[in-house]
Amino acid sequence: MWNIRHPLIFIKLLLYAGTSFGQSKALPINLSLFNQATAIPFTSFFTSPVHPGIQIGTEFNYHIKTGSRLFQTANLSYFYHNYLAQGVGLNSELGYECRLKNGLAITGLFGLGYMHTFTTSEEFSFSDGTYHKQNDKGNSRLFPSLSLDLGYYLDPSRDTSPKIFVRYQSWAEFPYSPGFIPVMTHINLHLGIKFFLHTNDHSHE
């Protein structure tokens, strides 16, 4: 069964990498809390009850121009839906950001990842005239995603400025229940921040 220590180890490695990298360049860290819902994408914005989740990751630039950039993300996420399942996901997204001089930024991201989900209730099987509790080994999913976010750079003059953002992420689980419901769609509404670890590169200031 998945162990809660695994994402903590990932976070420690990420922070350690940031410390090491920080001697020569800045490492961006994206951290967000989100509300997860089972819904058809773009039909809902904020939903209740709240099903909480957290995501942490980093990103790498492919191409930068004045006011825009093409980049790749790498993320680890976890959500808890008390009526359905809890899941741990690893994914990567290709993103394109347009950044205005006043600090506002609009970003689109297309992602693909792997998710492992576990039921949040006990499961039983019936045999030999009695019910037996099942061990939940979880289910493997692919999860493509399409996200849009609106952000604001707190210090617009710096490339390494912290950024706060609201992100609307639509995504799908596949396969969900083969022969019954092949694909289950979801939305996540993120509230997050991007910050940089150990910024020593002053070339853009």
Side-chain angles (χ1 to χ4, degrees), residues 135-157:
N135 292 323
D136 182 14
K137 298 180 180 179
N139 297 287
S140 301
R141 318 287 198 200
L142 288 176
F143 79 103
S145 63
L146 179 63
S147 305
L148 297 172
D149 84 32
L150 178 64
Y152 178 71
Y153 284 92
L154 301 179
D155 186 353
S157 64

Side-chain angles (χ1 to χ4, degrees), residues 129-201:
T130 186
Y131 288 94
H132 302 274
K133 185 178 179 180
Q134 296 279 358
N135 292 323
D136 182 14
K137 298 180 180 179
N139 297 287
S140 301
R141 318 287 198 200
L142 288 176
F143 79 103
S145 63
L146 179 63
S147 305
L148 297 172
D149 84 32
L150 178 64
Y152 178 71
Y153 284 92
L154 301 179
D155 186 353
S157 64
R158 297 179 59 212
D159 288 345
T160 54
S161 164
K163 172 190 171 186
I164 55 176
F165 62 86
V166 175
R167 177 172 300 168
Y168 186 92
Q169 180 183 32
S170 58
W171 59 282
E173 289 182 75
F174 177 81
Y176 184 73
S177 179
F180 181 55
I181 304 175
V183 178
M184 179 65 79
T185 58
H186 303 262
I187 58 172
N188 293 346
L189 183 62
H190 294 252
L191 178 61
I193 184 170
K194 178 171 79 171
F195 58 95
F196 290 81
L197 292 178
H198 296 275
T199 303
N200 292 328
D201 182 1

